[in-house]
């Protein structure tokens, strides 16, 4: 196996992994703060992908520009979902929360199917078929841009949590629900805000991903699982963990596809998930609680 | 006779004569209801009784289906002989997963994700096992349709219906016995508060593993049925996460931890899904996906407004405790 | 969703209740009067196979009209969508039979075909498979299951023979290939066929350097294509479905991989409308050796006329295979009905067994079922995408253009 | 008088913070002993070390002459030590009776026998009337009784009571004290209690050990300890309620 081959595959794995990492980051933020398992995460992202594809088809809007309106819309939707529905469930047992979001996911998948039919939608921009060339190493332009967007978004989010009052308050909520209430934080509103921010991650990742993947209504559940794998492997509540987890999964699947049968490469992710859950439940990059 | 016993006798009587009253389609819906009632009842042992949320029960259906299916396919060994093997393998898988998870203190959502991971891992794994046909599927030989062959579980649709009815009734009886036994008390104690249970001398680890083993073994039996009812097995179909969720639905809609909940819930959600198709057709609204939306909305409403499931409030109204 | 205004809650609840009720009532439909044959058409019109299912449906929709003209037989179609879900396929089939379908036609997918075959056999209602290639289906011992489509083994045989013809016609002699296939029921069956048959076809003169199977739900084929490219094989032998074919073609361009060509030894994907729509220019030159229809046949003209009437903005050529075989499956049913003069399922099955249709739309010999219910001798064509249309280039008898191989590489415009 | 439970040289640290430092004490057979001390003195940690929630870093615990340090909580219970929790942990969805049956099953062979035993325990603690109500519906005082009933049903030789009086009204407190006294008198049950409410301690305990900063600083009969209080006071600070 040549070096070029491995390098090419690994680089594209890293870049795709960053986009997946951003999606997972949304999950990590929601799970880490609200403590609710968003089983409709991937489904939400496929909605964002449709939004981007639609904006492109209607207005020729580049998915990178579509990020702005889609993210705003998703923030509002995420906020509303948490405030209107999920907040009622935060004290319910886990299986109850899980089913709530399964139901939301079902509605999203089938709603998309009703609205857009089963066929795949894609976005065609000029740079999609172009690559940066470094000798024998080819880097897909769209993928590189998407990864860049993922990093920028993650940095902005990180900054928000570190440097703004609201961000710090949200982290306080995540650390201790009761203490946060005692000091007078409006926890439920902060939860809604958090879900909104998680949804923004999903929206940005979705827009970026439309350049790499054709969107179909049935795409969602797969990405939900993927997001879980990344978050658990990376470490729950660790922002850098989600991104690195994405990269790790991206690279391991990519390189795994070279070493074993490509159709078996997802086994690596699930295998990794199992090992991490058993041996290091706080995740590879998470802190021990 | 108590109201519960009356209700049960009545239900059983209706279920017994159902094949004579119903057409082929209704019979297959009935079989499907019983199948989900049974699998959901099996899942309920883990979640409803012992409080461990498994979202990967398709794994045990698949193990059961493939074990019995492969024995029949490769060696012509009938399902009844394959059954013990299927149950043993699934129970073993359950024990291994449980031991790993509980020894390492994996619980709650993490445990649920672990069960999904094992099921997915196995699904993709089976895609690469050529002995069971890989993704190409395993196709069991079909015998003549009019002969009833209990030994090889071959016969008309009513046969499958009755087999499933017997299994469901058996599971109900078993679960009722379990619930009233030492295991039932210990499991519920663990479900309610693990620490307190341990302080009362319960070896929590061992009893949780036992719950998993029983639940997995029971589930595997439905897998054997599945293989011989469908005659074709595909990893993608059998081990799918969607399958695991279907198994969960009956109990959650009906009432987690109750005896009648899974049966009742399975009936409700199967009829709902079939009824939604019919209803949408009746109002001329046949758009792909519409059924799924209706289904999702109803599920949502049930979860939001009936957090205990449908059965407990209904039972109260019927005067059954 | 603007449509929701159409239904208020009460009418929906009523309908739901009615639906549950009717679905459980023992509707024993009268099967006495043989005036009309009720054909239950079961296809995946939604879900992952939705597009192809809808394409097949077009063939079913035009059948009653054409067949009335052709045989003077009245058909009533009963359509069911199994949502690309095998379980649903099963209950939909039960429902169709309960509602009085005399014969079932469908379902494009092998997994669903296996499930429906089971139902058909149990209820004793004939199932005529339009498209589904898993060889096992007609090997399981069913008596009511018929298939007018090539099994994977035959597809591979015909497909590889056409590969040989292609090399001859273009005076090329590639020595290496990389084989990529989707890892599902169909892809697995095809792979089995290729592993068995390729070694016997020594005259083809190429060997396979790597066998790359990928997940049917793959969202991204970067790794797979990188690996294929690294073999430096002369050409790509591909067994795909639709979405993955699109994905793969694009990825090849991104990675600047220009083999002599992409040749499918018999799989869907590259001749389908969506392939052209999604890829535009990139769709050019892809080659599929698949069971196909004869554009010159008399029946084709009839079907095409009906097709264009129903779908004025469509071209038959994009739906040729799906429409052709779905139509023919219904034709088989109608023909048997005419001869049996009865809708009794046993009589129908018997009549289907005696089928001998020579005037057909698809390539190959007459439609005749063997003891297992399988039609043998269905022909394939080498179809190349030329000028944004799937074009028959081989065999020369049915060809409307010359094959292009090696194919020119993609150039940025 | 023999020591039923003997702890010697117990130490336990959490992340470098020493919660228990070289603590030694004994619980005599048939006596009611109490462990008192200010908040953060390490009482609950000592308790958890005995109950098997934590294993001690150093030191040993012997029960009936057998070493029990490092055993799991269920093994400790099987050895004959029952406990209650400071923050009550009933099985909320189970009935009061079922709660106690779970405990009784430790010694009874059948569920039927356990049910009988459970009824007997409930009668002793005056909870019989609520036997069929879900535990979630009980008042705090009744929940505490339930905890005790559940622990008693396991037929312990030694009962560990963790701040069982906390949060109760004085009258409720007195009732519970009366109940314990009855148990102790009737069955000679050995009890070790951790308690803040000195009223209850003085009423019940025959022997008291005072814990501060993880170490035992005084021990003796209630009278002796009270006499020592001047000394103790300076250790414990002004806010100790006596």
């Amino acid at each position: 196996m040549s070096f070029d081959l491995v390098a090419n595959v690994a680089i594209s794995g890293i870049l795709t992994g960053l986009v997946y990492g951003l999606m997972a980051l949304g999950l990590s933020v929601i799970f880490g703060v609200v403590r609710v398992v968003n089983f409709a995460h991937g489904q939400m992202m496929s909605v964002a992908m449709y939004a981007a594809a639609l904006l492109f088809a209607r207005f020729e809007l580049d998915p990178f520009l579509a990020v702005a309106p889609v993210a705003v819309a998703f923030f509002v939707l995420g906020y509303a979902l948490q405030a209107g529905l999920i907040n009622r469930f935060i004290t319910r047992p886990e299986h109850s929360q899980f089913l709530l979001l399964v139901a939301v996911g079902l509605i999203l998948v089938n709603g998309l199917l009703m609205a857009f039919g089963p066929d795949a939608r894609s976005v065609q921009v000029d740079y999609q078929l172009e690559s940066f060339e470094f000798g024998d190493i080819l880097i897909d332009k769209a993928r590189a841009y998407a990864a860049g967007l993922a990093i920028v978004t993650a940095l902005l989010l990180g900054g928000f949590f570190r440097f703004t009052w609201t961000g710090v308050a949200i982290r306080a909520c995540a650390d201790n629900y009761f203490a946060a209430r005692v000091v007078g934080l409006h926890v439920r509103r902060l939860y809604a805000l958090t879900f909104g921010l998680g949804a923004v991650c999903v929206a940005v990742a979705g827009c970026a991903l439309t350049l790499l993947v054709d969107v179909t209504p049935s795409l969602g559940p797969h990405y939900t699982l993927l997001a879980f794998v990344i978050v658990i492997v990376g470490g729950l509540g660790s922002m850098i963990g989600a991104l690195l987890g994405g990269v790790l999964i991206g690279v391991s699947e990519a390189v795994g596809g070279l070493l074993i049968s490509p159709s078996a490469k997802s086994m690596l992710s699930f295998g990794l998930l199992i090992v991490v859950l058993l041996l290091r439940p706080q995740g590879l990059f998470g802190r021990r609680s | 006779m108590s109201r519960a016993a009356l209700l049960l006798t009545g239900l059983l009587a209706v279920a017994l004569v159902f094949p004579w009253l119903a057409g082929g389609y209704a019979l297959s819906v009935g079989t499907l209801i019983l199948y989900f009632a049974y699998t959901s009842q099996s899942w309920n042992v883990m979640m409803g009784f012992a409080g461990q949320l498994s979202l990967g029960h398709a794994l045990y259906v698949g193990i059961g289906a493939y074990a019995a299916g492969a024995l029949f396919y490769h060696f012509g060994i009938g399902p009844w002989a394959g059954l013990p093997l299927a149950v043993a393998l699934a129970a073993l898988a359950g024990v291994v997963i449980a031991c790993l998870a509980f020894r390492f203190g994996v619980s709650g959502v993490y445990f649920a994700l672990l069960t999904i991971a094992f099921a997915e891992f196995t699904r993709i794994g089976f895609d690469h096992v050529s002995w069971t046909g890989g993704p190409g599927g395993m196709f069991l030989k079909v015998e003549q349709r009019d002969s009833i062959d209990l030994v090889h579980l071959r016969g008309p649709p009513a046969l499958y219906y009755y087999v499933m009815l017997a299994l469901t009734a058996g599971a109900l009886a078993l679960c009722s016995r379990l619930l009233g036994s030492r295991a039932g008390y210990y499991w519920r104690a663990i479900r309610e508060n693990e620490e307190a249970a341990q302080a009362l001398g319960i070896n929590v680890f061992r009893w949780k593993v036992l719950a998993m083993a029983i639940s997995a073994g029971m589930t595997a039996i439905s897998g054997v049925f599945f293989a011989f009812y469908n005659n074709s097995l595909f990893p993608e179909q059998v081990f799918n996460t969607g399958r695991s969720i279907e198994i969960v639905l009956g109990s959650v809609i009906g009432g987690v931890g109750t005896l009648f909940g899974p049966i009742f819930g399975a009936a409700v959600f199967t009829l709902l899904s079939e009824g939604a198709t019919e209803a949408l057709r009746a109002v001329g609204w046949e758009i792909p996906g519409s059924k799924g939306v209706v289904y999702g909305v109803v599920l949502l409403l049930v979860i939001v407004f009936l957090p205990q499931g449908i059965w407990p409030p209904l039972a109260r109204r019927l005067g059954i405790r | 969703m603007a449509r929701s205004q159409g239904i208020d809650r009460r009418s929906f609840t009523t309908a739901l209740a009615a639906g549950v009720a009717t679905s459980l009532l023992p509707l024993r439909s009268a099967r006495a009067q043989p005036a009309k044959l009720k054909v239950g058409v079961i296809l995946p019109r939604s879900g992952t196979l939705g597009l192809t299912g809808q394409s097949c449906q077009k063939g079913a929709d035009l059948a009653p009209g054409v067949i009335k003209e052709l045989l003077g037989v009245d058909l009533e179609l009963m359509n069911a969508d199994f949502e690309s879900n095998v379980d649903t396929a099963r209950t939909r089939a039960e429902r169709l039979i309960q509602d009085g379908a005399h014969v079932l036609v469908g379902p494009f997918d092998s997994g669903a075909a296996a499930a429906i075959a089971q139902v058909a056999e149990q209820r004793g209602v004939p199932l005529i498979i339009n498209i589904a290639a898993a060889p096992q289906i007609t090997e399981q011992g069913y008596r009511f299951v018929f298939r007018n489509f090539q099994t994977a083994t035959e597809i591979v045989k015909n497909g590889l023979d056409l590969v040989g013809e292609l090399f001859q016609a273009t005076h090329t002699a590639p020595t290496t290939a990389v084989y990529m296939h989707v890892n599902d029921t169909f892809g697995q069956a095809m792979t089995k066929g290729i592993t068995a048959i390729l070694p016997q076809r020594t005259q083809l003169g190429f060997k396979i350097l790597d066998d790359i199977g990928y997940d049917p739900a793959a969202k991204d084929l970067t790794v797979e294509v990188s690996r294929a490219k690294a073999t430096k094989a002369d050409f790509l032998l591909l067994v795909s479905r639709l979405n993955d074919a699109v994905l793969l073609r694009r990825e090849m361009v991104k990675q600047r991989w220009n083999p002599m060509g992409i040749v499918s030894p018999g799989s869907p994907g590259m001749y389908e409308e969506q392939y052209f729509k999604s890829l535009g220019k990139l769709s050019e030159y892809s080659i599929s050796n698949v069971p196909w229809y004869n554009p010159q046949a008399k029946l084709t003209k009839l079907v095409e006329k009906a097709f264009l009437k129903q779908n004025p903005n469509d071209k038959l050529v994009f739906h040729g295979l799906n429409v052709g075989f779905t139509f023919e499956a219904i034709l088989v049913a109608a023909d048997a009905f005419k001869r049996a003069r009865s809708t009794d399922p046993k009589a129908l099955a018997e009549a289907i067994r005696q089928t001998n249709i020579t005037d057909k739309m698809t390539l190959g010999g007459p439609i005749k079922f063997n003891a297992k219910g399988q039609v043998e001798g269905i022909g394939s064509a080498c179809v190349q995408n030329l000028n944004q249309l799937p074009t028959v280039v081989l065999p020369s008898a049915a060809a409307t253009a010359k094959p292009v191989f090696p194919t020119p590489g993609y150039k940025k415009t | 008088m023999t020591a039923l439970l003997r702890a010697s040289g117990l130490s336990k640290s959490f992340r470098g913070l020493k919660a228990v430092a070289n603590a030694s004490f004994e619980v005599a057979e048939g006596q009611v002993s109490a462990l008192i001390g200010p908040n953060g003195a390490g009482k609950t940690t000592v308790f958890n070390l005995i109950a098997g929630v934590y294993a001690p870093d150093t030191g040993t615990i012997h029960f009936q002459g057998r070493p029990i340090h490092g055993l799991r909580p269920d093994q400790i219970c099987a050895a004959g030590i029952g406990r209650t929790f400071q923050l009550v942990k009933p099985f909320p969805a189970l009935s009061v009776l079922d709660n106690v049956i779970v405990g009784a099953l430790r010694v009874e062979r059948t569920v039927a026998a356990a049910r009988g035993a459970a009824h007997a325990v409930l009668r002793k603690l005056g909870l019989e009337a609520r036997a069929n109500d879900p535990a979630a519906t009980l008042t705090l005082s009744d929940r505490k009784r339930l905890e005790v009933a559940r622990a008693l049903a396991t037929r312990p030789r030694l009962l560990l009571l963790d701040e069982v009086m906390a949060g109760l009204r004085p009258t409720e407190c007195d009732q519970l004290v009366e109940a314990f006294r009855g148990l102790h008198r009737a069955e000679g049950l050995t009890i070790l209690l951790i308690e803040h409410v000195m009223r209850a301690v003085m009423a019940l305990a025959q022997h008291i050990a005072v814990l501060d900063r993880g170490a035992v600083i005084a021990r003796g009969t209630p009278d002796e300890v009270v006499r020592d209080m001047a000394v103790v006071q300076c250790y414990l600070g002004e806010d100790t309620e006596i």
Side-chain angles (χ1 to χ4, degrees), chain C residues 164-192:
Chain C
E165 283 182 48
L166 174 72
F167 293 166
Q168 257 177 7
T170 55
H171 310 290
T172 49
T175 54
T176 54
V178 57
Y179 174 51
M180 297 183 78
H181 67 92
V182 59
N183 209 20
D184 63 4
T185 309
F186 171 70
Q188 196 74 10
M190 292 292 288
T191 306
K192 230 182 242 170

Side-chain angles (χ1 to χ4, degrees), chain B residues 21 24-25 28 135-136 140-142 144-145 157 160 229-232 234 237 243 274 278-279 287-288, chain C residues 3 16 19 23 26 46 86-87 90 92 94-95 98 114 118 121-123 139-140 142-143 183 185 188:
Chain B
L21 303 173
Y25 168 68
S28 78
L140 303 184
K141 203 122 192 99
V142 178
Q144 304 299 328
R145 76 188 172 93
Y160 296 98
Y229 186 52
N230 284 315
N231 286 320
S232 50
F234 307 90
Q237 291 290 336
R243 287 263 171 213
E274 291 301 311
E278 295 293 329
I287 306 159
Chain C
R3 289 172 201 272
L16 186 68
S23 63
S46 58
V86 172
D87 269 353
R90 195 188 170 86
R92 290 295 93 200
E94 299 268 14
R95 184 76 187 140
Q98 162 125 5
Q118 167 85 358
E121 187 72 16
Q122 278 179 345
R123 307 279 180 225
E139 301 288 335
Q140 272 176 294
Y142 293 119
R143 296 174 305 167
N183 209 20
T185 309
Q188 196 74 10

Side-chain angles (χ1 to χ4, degrees), chain A residues 124 130 133 214 257 260, chain C residues 183 227 250 254 256 278 412:
Chain A
Q124 310 283 342
E130 293 170 14
E133 273 180 84
D214 291 358
I260 56 174
Chain C
N183 209 20
R227 192 164 142 179
R250 249 191 234 136
K254 278 189 206 176
R256 318 266 163 93
S278 317
K412 203 185 149 194

